[in-house]
């Protein structure tokens, strides 16, 4: 595709950043560019387009199409401008009679073997081959169209989102290079030579069956209609675009939403996106069709009992019923008997309004968010050690890392665009340590091999991290100058004494964690001495009974080795959802206002009281899991749930269900009837990210605009719905645009003081803190001092989880995500992504499978002390013997029916990653699954009016 | 102790308090009870603390030594005439 509305400079900026400038002359005009710039890029920067087909500025130059030839004084021949760097005093001509002749000859060759169906082609008007034919003045093709041809080859229509027509391919290799350089999957190649050259996916397979991950980089790179989005073929080329931010994962890719009127045609990654730099994954680029899915609910519904079918009502009736029920419940059971769950997928403004509704309207602090079940230990751990509850770097920082330590994270699946960037750095030579019970793709994939894979037993993170600290301290690898200057020395000494004990050595814990001591020692030495060392971690660290301790242990390692406060290092929590960072920032926690300030802090609370005009509760409220407990106790009876599916995503699903059943009014605001809606009394149809304005904050603390591209099909943006409820409860809100909410956030939250929609529009994005001292944000944190002043070392004693395997439950289950699906799958299951992962499966080691008589694809019962479910087996050695793994994307399996309610000691983050299970052959779904399927079917009924009889 | 997934609310409160105490005792051995009390006060909703007080009045609920001492501190703070500032 052509870069619609964006300028393609042909080749990337020089790899080596330099101040040295070169002056040359291009077509009689003087140009001054950094040393290392290509002639093509230099010309483009001064507004001169040199014809090109194989060059594009997000990939290295290739020099194959021979269109971009130029004449250079003093040089023989006609060099390619894409592969020729500028030189001081160079004189270049880009347009001469001879060059025109050569270019026309090249184009004649291309067109002699290319369909001439421009007027009916999907890329008509958006085709670089068409553009170049015009640019070189092509008027005829002297070769004719007889003889051997590559036209008429069968199309590959296997991918649900794009078509591949080999007949239109000009073998420029842009797609191959995009897959190599941008995505890093290396799924494509050019098979054959000369006339027989053709693009091939994996071993000459179709795209769907190949290693292609459907990121779309090849489609974006393709200059013809050979690779083209199916939506463009069906709908036509877009006519305008609006830049917005993805609503899937915590990378926060920005896209041009390319539209025809109010219809979305395609999502094209925005070149200037600071998080994604023009790249994307299959979800953000293609999986937006859920917005128009037939399952989407567009009208409010209520029912007095969950045993009744839903009844469609007007917005007025639904909102009035919600308010009256919440007031009734509070009058009967007390002010703390209702609460809310803010969404980590909705905007910052929406999260702020939900916690405001609870605090100002309900008069309590019973508000929580899904960070409870994922990265709440990050908030606790980093807050304790460094003074701030967020990652310390930008994503770009990885390009300066010499050692990358990935623990409890799987970025190529869960943060794919960042995973691609990490792989690019690894291909440049950075070293890699991976600590994961599974052999994730990063351990071994094309051109990527971990220097150390530490396949630790689930539940032993703290022991392993403390053992690494033992090596660093006892072998004299501590950066003492850094620690003395930047950290509390006394605390360091206590910690150093603790980790030095022989009982914490790699040898002492080898039998426990199953990591060879020699590997652990070597990994620790590499981290401490390999140069810039960065840690990337995810839910494999946090979702444990010692999740907070593990985060603290990671911070200890970084401080001890001086790997904080500059590019290429740091602590990088890979936040899962598009706005889970933002939801936390906005005070969606029962104990904190926005900006991570405790509700008991008088100065903070008084500032909010003054702004909001009410007295606020100084006591912490209920966490999500406590809400269910309190409901069963009879003291919590009403709940507002915005875009969160606690039944599917929270652990011990039966306990969650029991808690919900005990409530009297559950209000669910969502796009679809999800599992939680089965227990709800009010359903308020929500809006998608395409249908509202606001901001998301990604894992880099980067606040980015979400821009409305179409009217909300349900009638209201999500923030408007919260305002309706608030006003029905008498709060008198008068917001007319989310920018006003952000202004209020900035007024009340010091770290957001300089953030506004105007500033975001002007700057593109801002990484908080954005204060008077740093009005445009702070990409790297803790540069001179830590947020708390001195960094604090904290002792992390390994305390084993009480979830133990034994004779009845001899295996350990750990759970995670897969690339093509997203969290509970509410969105992605309603898109073409089901082509890749139509059901959750259980990964089991061949030895464990053989011992149980289980074969590939067999239905198996997965049973724990908590519950049982059935799913299909996938036999693989990616998991170690004794460990099994599944995902949680499909409600038919509802994997959380087997997870326990053991939680992190500090934050109650569930221990999803350690469940003792047994696996055995099954001959059908579990009784629970059958019962739940019927329950779910019954509870999703929507009453319809009968037509009167004739 | 009941099995996981089958803990009653009361058992879960005790279990959680004990785990907090175990972890904080390792972090701050000299002031484990105070640290545990501070943590609970900071993060537990008042009814959860009140429920524990109620259970303790009826007898031993299975709190470990540090957790038990923490609730003694919280009881003193609750009974004190003036509110004590939160940590």
């Amino acid at each position: 595709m052509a870069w619609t509305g964006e300028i393609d400079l042909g080749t990337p900026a020089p790899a080596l950043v330099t101040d040295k400038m070169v002056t040359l002359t291009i077509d009689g005009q003087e140009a001054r560019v950094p040393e290392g710039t290509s002639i093509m890029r230099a010309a483009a920067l001064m507004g001169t387009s040199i014809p090109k087909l194989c060059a594009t500025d997000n990939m290295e130059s290739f020099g194959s199409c021979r269109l971009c030839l130029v004449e250079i004084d003093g040089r023989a021949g006609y060099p390619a401008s894409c592969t020729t760097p500028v030189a001081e005093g160079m004189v270049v001509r880009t347009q001469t009679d001879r060059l025109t002749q050569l270019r026309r000859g090249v184009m004649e060759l291309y067109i002699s073997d290319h369909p001439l169906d421009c007027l009916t082609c999907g890329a008509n008007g958006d085709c670089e081959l068409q553009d170049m034919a015009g640019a070189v003045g092509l008027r005829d093709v002297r070769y004719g169209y007889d003889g051997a041809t590559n036209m008429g080859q069968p199309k590959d229509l296997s991918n649900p989102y794009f078509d591949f027509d080999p007949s239109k391919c000009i073998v420029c290799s842009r797609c191959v290079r995009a897959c190599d350089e941008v995505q890093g999957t290396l799924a494509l190649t050019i098979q054959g030579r000369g006339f027989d050259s053709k693009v091939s996916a994996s071993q000459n397979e179709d795209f769907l069956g190949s290693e292609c991950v459907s990121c779309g980089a090849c489609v974006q790179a393709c200059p013809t209609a050979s690779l083209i989005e199916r939506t463009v073929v069906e709908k036509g080329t877009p006519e305008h675009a609006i830049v917005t931010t993805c609503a899937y994962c915590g990378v926060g890719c920005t896209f041009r939403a390319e539209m025809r009127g109010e219809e979305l045609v395609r999502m094209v990654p925005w070149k200037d996106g600071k998080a994604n730099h023009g790249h994307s994954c299959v979800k953000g680029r293609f999986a937006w069709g859920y917005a128009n899915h037939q399952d989407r609910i567009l009208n409010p519904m209520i029912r007095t009992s969950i045993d009744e079918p839903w009844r469609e009502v007007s917005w007025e009736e639904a909102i009035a019923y919600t308010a009256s029920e919440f007031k009734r419940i509070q009058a009967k059971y007390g002010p703390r008997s209702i609460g809310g769950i803010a969404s980590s997928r909705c905007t910052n403004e929406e999260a702020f309004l939900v916690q405001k509704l609870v605090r100002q309207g309900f008069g309590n602090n019973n508000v929580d968010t899904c960070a409870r079940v994922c990265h709440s230990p990050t908030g606790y751990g980093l807050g304790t050690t460094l003074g701030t509850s967020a990652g310390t770097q930008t994503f770009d920082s990885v390009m300066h890392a010499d050692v990358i330590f990935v623990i409890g994270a799987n970025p190529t699946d869960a943060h794919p665009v960042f995973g691609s960037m990490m792989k690019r750095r690894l291909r440049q030579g950075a070293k890699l340590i991976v600590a994961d019970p599974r052999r994730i793709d990063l351990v071994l994939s094309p051109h990527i091999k971990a220097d150390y894979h530490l396949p630790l037993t689930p539940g032993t993170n703290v022991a392993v991290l403390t053992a690494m600290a033992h090596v660093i301290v006892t072998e004299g690898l501590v950066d003492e100058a850094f620690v003395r200057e930047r950290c509390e020395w006394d605390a360091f000494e206590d910690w150093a004494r603790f980790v030095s004990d022989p009982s914490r050595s790699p040898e002492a814990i080898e039998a426990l964690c199953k990591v060879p001591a020699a590997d652990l020692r070597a990994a620790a030495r590499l981290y401490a001495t390999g140069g810039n060392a960065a840690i990337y971690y995810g839910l494999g660290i946090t979702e444990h009974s010692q999740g907070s301790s593990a985060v603290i242990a990671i911070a200890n390692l970084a401080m001890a080795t001086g790997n904080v406060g500059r590019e290429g290092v740091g602590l990088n929590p890979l936040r899962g959802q598009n706005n889970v960072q933002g939801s936390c920032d906005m005070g969606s926690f029962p104990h904190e206002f926005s900006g991570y300030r405790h509700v008991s802090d008088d100065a903070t609370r008084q500032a909010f009281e003054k702004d909001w005009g009410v007295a606020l509760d100084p006591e912490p409220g209920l966490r999500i899991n406590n809400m269910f407990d309190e409901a069963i106790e009879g003291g919590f009876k009403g709940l507002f749930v915005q875009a969160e599916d606690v039944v599917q995503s929270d652990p011990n699903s039966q306990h969650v269900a029991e808690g919900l059943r005990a409530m009297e009014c559950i209000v669910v605001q969502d796009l679809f009837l999800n599992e939680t809606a089965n227990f709800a009394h009010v359903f308020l149809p929500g809006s998608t990210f395409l249908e509202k304005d606001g901001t998301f904050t990604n894992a880099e603390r980067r606040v980015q605009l979400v821009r409305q591209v179409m009217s909300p099909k349900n009638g209201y943006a999500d923030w408007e719905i919260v305002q309706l409820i608030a006003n029905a409860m008498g709060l008198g809100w008068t917001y007319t645009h989310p920018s006003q909410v952000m202004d209020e956030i900035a007024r009340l939250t010091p770290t957001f003081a300089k953030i506004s929609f105007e500033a975001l529009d002007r700057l593109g994005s801002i990484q908080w803190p954005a204060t008077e001292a740093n009005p445009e944000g702070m990409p790297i944190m803790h540069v001179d001092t830590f947020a708390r002043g001195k960094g604090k070392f904290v002792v992390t004693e390994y305390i084993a989880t009480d979830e133990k395997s034994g004779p009845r439950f001899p295996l350990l289950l750990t759970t995670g995500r897969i690339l093509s699906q997203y969290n509970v799958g509410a969105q992605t299951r309603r898109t073409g992504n089901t082509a890749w992962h139509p059901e959750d499966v259980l990964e089991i080691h061949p030895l464990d499978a053989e011992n149980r008589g289980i074969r590939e694809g067999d239905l198996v019962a997965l049973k724990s002390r908590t519950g049982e479910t059935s799913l299909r087996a996938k036999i693989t050695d990616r998991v170690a013997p004794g460990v099994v793994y599944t995902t949680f994307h499909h409600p038919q399996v509802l994997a959380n029916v087997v997870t326990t309610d053991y939680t992190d000691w500090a934050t109650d983050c569930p221990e999803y990653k350690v469940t003792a299970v047994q696996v055995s052959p099954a001959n059908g779904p579990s009784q629970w699954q059958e019962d739940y399927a019927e329950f779910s079917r019954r509870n999703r009924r929507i009453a319809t009016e009968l037509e009167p009889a004739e | 102790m009941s099995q996981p997934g089958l803990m009653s609310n009361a058992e879960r409160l005790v279990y959680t308090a004990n785990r907090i105490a175990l972890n904080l005792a390792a972090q701050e051995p000299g002031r484990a009870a105070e640290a545990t009390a501070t943590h609970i006060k900071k993060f537990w909703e008042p009814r959860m603390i009140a429920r524990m007080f109620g259970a303790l009045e009826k007898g031993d609920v299975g709190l470990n030594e540090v957790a038990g001492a923490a609730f003694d501190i919280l009881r003193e703070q609750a009974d004190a005439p003036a509110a004590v500032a939160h940590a």
Side-chain angles (χ1 to χ4, degrees):
Chain A
M1 71 175 71
W3 284 105
T4 314
E6 293 175 303
I7 297 172
D8 185 346
L9 299 173
T11 61
L16 285 172
V17 178
T18 176
D19 292 333
K20 188 169 177 202
M21 302 297 278
V22 169
T23 303
L24 70 156
T25 304
I26 302 176
D27 294 338
Q29 305 276 335
E30 185 176 282
R32 196 167 154 72
V33 292
E35 187 180 51
T37 304
S38 69
I39 293 174
M40 174 181 282
R41 187 179 176 92
L45 285 168
M46 60 180 260
T48 294
S49 293
I50 299 174
K52 62 177 181 63
L53 274 172
C54 72
T56 185
D57 64 9
N58 68 333
M59 290 185 270
E60 296 304 319
S61 56
F62 198 56
S64 81
C65 75
R66 313 318 290 174
L67 268 185
C68 71
L69 309 180
V70 292
E71 292 180 2
I72 303 174
D73 280 1
R75 291 201 195 183
Y78 304 92
S81 60
C82 65
T83 52
T84 307
V86 298
E88 186 65 33
M90 184 184 264
V91 177
V92 178
R93 282 176 295 283
T94 71
Q95 297 287 350
T96 67
D97 289 344
R98 183 59 180 143
L99 289 173
T100 300
Q101 201 179 16
L102 289 169
R103 289 172 185 152
R104 281 185 189 162
V106 168
M107 285 304 296
E108 282 184 78
L109 286 167
Y110 277 125
I111 302 299
S112 70
D113 190 22
H114 193 85
L116 297 177
D117 61 349
C118 290
L119 292 181
T120 53
C121 176
N124 188 13
D126 184 25
C127 173
E128 291 180 61
L129 186 69
Q130 198 177 45
D131 294 342
M132 291 304 107
V136 306
L138 187 70
R139 296 293 174 259
D140 62 46
V141 176
R142 290 167 293 169
Y143 300 101
Y145 302 98
D146 298 325
T149 175
N150 284 307
M151 288 188 267
Q153 293 183 66
K155 295 182 187 178
D156 178 350
L157 305 177
S158 61
N159 188 286
Y161 297 121
F162 61 84
D163 299 339
F164 172 50
D165 184 356
S167 301
K168 297 191 174 175
C169 178
I170 59 171
V171 200
C172 63
S173 296
R174 273 202 201 172
C175 55
V176 176
R177 290 147 55 211
C179 197
D180 291 358
E181 294 175 38
V182 177
Q183 170 55 26
T185 297
L186 292 93
L188 303 179
T189 189
I190 299 294
Q191 184 175 289
R193 290 292 180 265
F195 187 75
D196 294 330
S197 300
K198 62 174 195 163
V199 172
S200 169
S202 292
Q203 304 299 312
N204 201 24
E205 298 162 67
D206 63 29
F207 270 83
L208 188 66
S210 72
E211 289 149 316
C212 165
V213 295
S214 199
C215 69
C218 57
V219 179
Q220 184 174 325
C222 181
T224 70
S226 183
L227 283 160
I228 188 167
E229 297 94 336
R230 203 163 285 167
T231 48
V232 172
V233 174
E234 290 164 1
K235 300 180 187 191
T237 47
E239 41 82 6
H240 77 274
I242 300 172
V243 174
T244 190
T245 304
C246 184
Y248 276 118
C249 82
V251 172
C253 298
T254 37
F255 285 85
R256 291 164 47 87
E258 298 197 344
M259 315 287 296
R260 286 174 68 85
E262 282 220 328
E263 186 176 28
L264 179 59
V265 178
R266 66 183 173 193
M267 295 285 271
V268 179
W270 190 37
K271 252 173 88 164
D272 288 339
K274 297 293 187 288
N276 60 318
H277 303 296
H279 189 38
S280 74
C281 78
V282 60
K283 297 187 291 293
R285 189 193 290 266
F286 293 124
W288 40 264
Y290 64 86
N292 296 313
H293 195 274
Q294 62 187 24
D295 285 352
R296 189 166 167 197
I297 305 294
L298 297 176
N299 298 309
M301 304 186 293
I302 63 175
R303 55 186 177 187
T304 52
S305 160
I306 67 171
D307 296 321
E308 295 170 6
W310 287 104
R311 180 168 62 86
E312 285 186 355
V313 297
S314 67
W315 275 103
E316 289 72 26
E317 184 175 349
I319 296 296
Y321 183 73
T322 298
S324 72
E325 276 294 279
F326 282 163
K327 286 179 187 170
R328 177 190 68 77
I329 288 169
Q330 281 192 303
K332 182 174 178 184
Y333 297 102
R336 290 202 167 112
S337 60
I338 61 175
I341 297 177
S343 175
S344 293
R345 274 169 277 185
C346 290
T347 64
N348 286 321
E349 295 73 17
E350 284 155 356
F352 187 81
L353 289 183
V354 170
Q355 62 88 38
K356 183 177 178 180
L357 171 68
V358 171
R359 293 188 157 116
Q360 185 195 35
F362 298 174
N364 59 52
N365 288 311
N366 293 337
V367 62
D368 206 356
T369 181
C370 91
R372 177 66 48 210
V373 302
C374 64
H375 265 286
S376 50
T378 286
Y380 185 91
L382 296 189
T384 301
T385 50
L386 310 184
T388 195
S389 308
T392 63
Q393 315 290 121
T394 60
F395 287 137
D396 287 352
S397 169
V398 76
M399 300 309 288
H400 300 272
D402 301 306
V403 179
I404 296 169
F405 179 17
V406 176
I407 177 165
N410 186 9
T412 52
D413 270 75
H415 300 82
V417 171
F418 174 67
S420 294
M421 191 186 299
M422 182 185 281
K423 290 205 290 187
R424 202 173 312 135
R425 180 61 188 148
L426 292 170
R427 289 197 300 272
Q428 289 175 353
K431 303 289 187 193
L432 176 63
I433 305 165
V434 174
D436 198 293
R438 290 170 78 224
R439 192 183 69 239
I440 59 173
D441 284 350
L442 272 182
V443 172
L444 185 65
S445 54
H447 292 262
I448 303 292
K449 185 169 188 284
D451 293 87
Y452 298 101
H453 175 212
L454 312 175
L456 69 176
T457 301
T460 61
N461 291 334
V462 172
V464 167
L465 291 163
T466 304
M468 291 182 73
H470 174 96
V471 173
I472 290 169
V473 169
T474 58
E475 294 189 8
L477 304 179
V478 171
D479 184 340
E480 188 173 325
F482 179 91
V483 175
R484 279 198 183 274
E485 182 193 340
R486 299 284 308 267
C487 305
E488 291 176 9
W489 183 252
D490 291 348
F492 166 75
E493 285 189 311
D494 288 342
W495 172 81
R497 202 173 306 121
F498 167 81
V499 302
S500 299
D501 192 284
S503 67
R504 297 183 185 103
S505 68
E507 290 74 18
I509 63 147
E510 183 169 358
L512 167 75
C513 67
K514 307 278 194 299
V515 175
D519 285 353
L520 197 43
R521 278 196 180 269
R525 288 168 191 149
L526 178 60
Y527 176 76
T529 64
N532 286 341
I535 300 178
Y536 294 86
Y537 73 92
L539 309 186
I541 278 289
T542 57
E543 290 176 347
H544 285 270
S545 60
Q546 279 201 300
S548 293
S549 304
V551 174
I552 290 170
I554 285 172
N556 290 335
L557 287 180
M559 288 190 290
T561 54
N563 281 305
V564 191
R566 61 184 190 281
E567 292 269 21
V569 299
L571 294 134
N572 301 271
L574 295 174
R575 313 293 299 235
Q577 303 202 57
N578 57 304
N579 202 36
V580 63
Q581 178 70 58
S583 185
C584 298
D585 299 341
M586 293 299 107
S588 304
F589 282 139
H591 66 287
E592 284 177 334
F593 290 110
S594 57
Y596 303 99
R597 296 163 294 165
H598 200 274
V599 293
S600 66
D601 179 74
D602 291 336
T604 303
R605 194 176 65 258
Q606 282 157 15
F608 280 89
E609 287 175 341
K610 188 176 171 192
D611 206 273
W612 293 353
V614 292
L616 298 175
D617 189 346
E619 298 284 355
L622 293 167
R623 294 168 170 171
I624 291 177
N625 54 311
N626 300 140
M627 290 177 186
F628 307 134
D629 295 344
E630 196 60 43
I632 293 167
E633 294 292 331
F636 189 80
K637 292 292 192 179
L639 182 64
F640 171 61
V641 185
Q642 185 182 66
E644 184 63 30
D645 192 356
V646 290
V647 170
Q648 189 171 343
S649 61
D650 282 44
N652 194 349
S653 307
Q654 285 124 314
H655 181 66
V656 174
E658 189 186 351
L660 293 174
R661 279 186 193 281
M663 297 185 204
E664 291 183 7
C665 182
I666 297 170
V667 180
V668 166
Q669 180 179 332
D670 214 305
L671 301 177
F672 309 103
L673 283 173
N674 57 22
E675 307 317 301
T676 303
N678 287 336
F679 301 87
H681 307 85
V682 180
F683 188 90
L684 302 176
S687 59
T688 69
F689 76 110
L690 300 169
E691 298 163 329
K692 59 191 177 184
D693 290 302
T695 56
F696 292 149
T697 306
N698 75 353
E700 303 170 286
R701 299 167 280 110
R702 188 183 298 280
V703 184
Q704 302 182 110
L705 283 170
V706 179
R707 293 187 176 90
Q708 182 173 332
V709 308
M710 59 181 69
S711 308
K713 292 177 176 43
N714 60 319
Y716 292 105
D718 287 325
W719 66 269
E720 292 180 299
I721 298 169
V722 180
Q723 177 159 266
L724 288 172
I725 298 172
N727 288 344
M729 298 192 70
L731 298 185
W733 293 357
T734 56
Y735 303 106
T736 57
H737 191 271
S739 58
Q740 298 161 347
V741 183
M742 180 53 80
D743 291 341
E744 182 173 328
I745 294 165
R747 197 165 65 238
L748 292 168
T749 316
T751 47
F752 274 66
K754 287 300 187 184
I755 296 181
S756 67
F757 275 44
E758 180 277 328
L760 290 168
D761 201 41
R762 174 168 41 88
L763 297 169
S765 65
I766 297 173
Q767 285 176 270
W768 67 258
T771 59
E772 277 299 331
N774 297 285
E776 295 189 359
M778 191 184 289
I780 305 289
M781 295 195 74
H782 317 296
V783 173
D784 297 312
T785 60
F786 287 99
R788 69 183 301 278
K790 297 273 191 180
K792 184 175 178 184
F793 284 83
V794 175
V795 161
T796 53
E797 176 80 72
Y798 170 65
I799 299 171
T801 173
D802 283 318
E803 178 63 3
K804 306 268 194 261
S805 56
R808 280 183 64 212
F809 303 102
L811 305 173
L812 286 177
L813 169 74
T814 186
T815 59
R817 293 171 166 129
I818 201 167
L819 168 67
S820 57
Q821 295 289 343
Y822 178 67
N823 283 7
V824 298
Q827 297 147 284
T828 45
R829 277 185 286 113
R830 294 176 170 99
T831 69
N833 281 24
T834 48
W836 287 280
H837 190 75
E839 57 181 329
D840 291 323
V841 296
L842 186 75
E843 289 189 4
I844 181 168
H845 191 273
L847 287 176
D848 292 323
E850 187 178 333
N851 285 344
R852 292 162 174 78
I854 292 168
R855 294 163 302 179
E856 177 76 19
D858 279 355
L859 193 64
V860 296
L862 176 69
K863 189 172 179 182
S864 73
R865 295 179 180 94
T866 313
E868 179 177 343
T869 189
S870 296
L871 67 171
R872 301 227 168 257
K874 179 185 164 98
I875 299 176
T876 173
D877 63 358
R878 277 163 61 106
V879 289
V883 176
V884 291
Y885 170 87
T886 191
T887 48
F888 58 101
H889 304 304
H890 292 269
Q892 294 81 5
V893 171
L894 210 63
N896 281 320
V897 81
V898 303
T899 51
T900 72
D901 55 5
Y902 285 137
T903 61
D904 170 55
W905 65 271
T907 64
D908 278 330
C909 182
E911 189 167 56
Y912 290 116
K913 303 303 187 186
V914 188
T915 306
V917 295
Q918 177 58 288
V919 177
S920 54
N923 54 16
S926 66
Q927 186 61 50
W928 178 89
Q929 280 170 290
E930 289 184 337
D931 293 344
Y932 185 76
E934 174 55 24
F935 169 77
S936 191
R937 184 201 64 77
R938 206 163 16 85
N939 285 41
R940 281 176 153 89
R941 292 170 299 156
I942 300 174
T944 51
E945 296 247 1
L946 291 175
E947 292 287 334
E950 291 288 326
Chain B
M1 190 190 73
S2 303
Q3 290 175 313
L6 301 174
M7 278 192 278
S8 66
N9 283 354
E11 287 171 335
R12 196 174 297 112
L13 273 185
V14 170
Y15 179 79
T16 304
N18 283 342
R19 289 292 291 198
I20 293 169
L22 265 179
N23 279 274
L24 286 176
Q27 282 186 20
E28 299 186 70
R31 53 179 301 273
E34 291 88 345
T36 303
T38 300
H39 182 98
I40 289 172
K41 182 69 179 160
K42 193 172 174 182
F43 295 111
W44 283 29
E45 206 250 20
R47 286 175 290 182
M48 294 162 64
I49 298 175
R51 197 160 291 130
M52 184 66 83
F53 286 157
L56 286 168
E57 277 168 16
K58 293 178 184 154
D60 182 14
V61 298
L63 288 175
N64 61 36
E65 189 180 332
V66 171
F71 274 92
D72 288 340
I73 294 171
L74 289 167
R75 181 86 263 180
E76 282 171 26
Q77 289 174 356
D79 291 343
V84 176
H86 294 260

